[in-house]
Amino acid sequence: MPQRRKRKLLNGFGVAAAAMSPIRPNAIWAMDFQFDTTADGRTIKMLNVVDEFTREALAITVDRCIDADGVVAVVDRLARERGAPSYGRFDHGPEFVAQAVNDWCRFTGADSLFIEPGAPWQNAWIESFNGRLRDELLNAWHFDSLREARVIIEDWRLDYNTNRPHSAHDELTPAEVAQRWATPRRHHAG
């Protein structure tokens, strides 16, 4: 039986995840992959990106394969729309992806927060989000195609952001929390 190779951890850059908690929107984006299948048994891969403060699902990118370039394209698009986060929180996952996200963070001025292997509680917001997505949608739906998965998952993401209150924010939805933080800035700018 072949021996399992030990995964090389990315050392020398990034900040330990520890108990760092966001104090404003766009402070920390948590990222993680999630998997499911279509009816034909083919894998679909989701890249989930959540703003830890507002609890907004910033993106759920659905494809058959999402490589390092795909991840960077998603976070780059989000940064153009919202500004880059102060921190990106992710696991050591596939080395090329982790390295690419770390490089993106460095180039945009964000810091990397790596979670330790086998310590999902250090990325609690995204783990909670992944669990909700799994329980509410992925376990209940069999997608006939990649296109169907993209449409239904995006509808779920929009509903999650606009119609799901969170107790951490006095029962406001993620979109309402984001809007409340954005509104005062507009008043000061005018």
Side-chain angles (χ1 to χ4, degrees):
M1 202 156 139
Q3 285 189 341
R4 293 179 77 174
R5 291 188 335 177
K6 222 175 185 180
R7 185 179 286 180
K8 181 182 173 189
L9 296 180
L10 295 171
N11 293 321
F13 55 84
V15 176
M20 194 166 205
S21 295
I23 58 170
R24 62 173 172 72
N26 228 31
I28 302 173
W29 290 355
M31 298 167 243
D32 198 16
F33 287 113
Q34 197 165 13
F35 298 88
D36 202 31
T37 58
T38 49
D40 60 5
R42 294 176 63 202
T43 298
I44 58 173
K45 187 174 188 179
M46 291 157 275
L47 170 63
N48 301 334
V49 183
V50 173
D51 182 303
E52 289 190 5
F53 183 81
T54 65
R55 308 299 205 269
E56 285 177 286
L58 304 178
I60 304 176
T61 301
V62 181
D63 215 328
R64 295 287 181 195
C65 176
I66 304 171
D67 61 8
D69 291 338
V71 172
V72 169
V74 170
V75 292
D76 211 31
R77 175 185 55 82
L78 291 171
R80 283 192 310 274
E81 294 170 3
R82 312 171 66 86
S86 299
Y87 295 90
R89 189 187 312 259
F90 50 97
D91 62 23
H92 284 281
E95 187 175 346
F96 292 123
V97 172
Q99 183 67 52
V101 174
N102 185 67
D103 288 345
W104 179 86
C105 286
R106 196 167 27 103
F107 292 132
T108 60
D111 283 322
S112 303
L113 296 172
F114 288 110
I115 67 164
E116 296 172 24
W121 57 87
Q122 291 180 348
N123 206 356
W125 287 273
I126 197 77
E127 293 296 335
S128 173
F129 176 82
N130 287 353
R132 184 170 286 188
L133 175 59
R134 173 76 50 206
D135 292 344
E136 294 179 10
L137 181 63
L138 302 179
N139 286 344
W141 198 276
H142 296 287
F143 303 111
D144 288 328
S145 66
L146 180 62
R147 174 182 232 155
E148 181 184 51
R150 285 176 174 159
V151 169
I152 291 171
I153 290 169
E154 179 63 8
D155 284 348
W156 185 90
R157 184 188 75 83
L158 294 172
D159 180 67
Y160 175 87
N161 285 340
T162 57
N163 296 316
R164 307 287 184 88
H166 285 263
S167 59
H169 290 301
D170 296 326
E171 300 305 320
L172 295 175
T173 67
E176 290 170 330
V177 173
Q179 183 61 40
R180 285 200 176 176
W181 274 81
T183 302
R185 284 191 224 154
R186 284 193 207 119
H187 293 305
H188 293 301

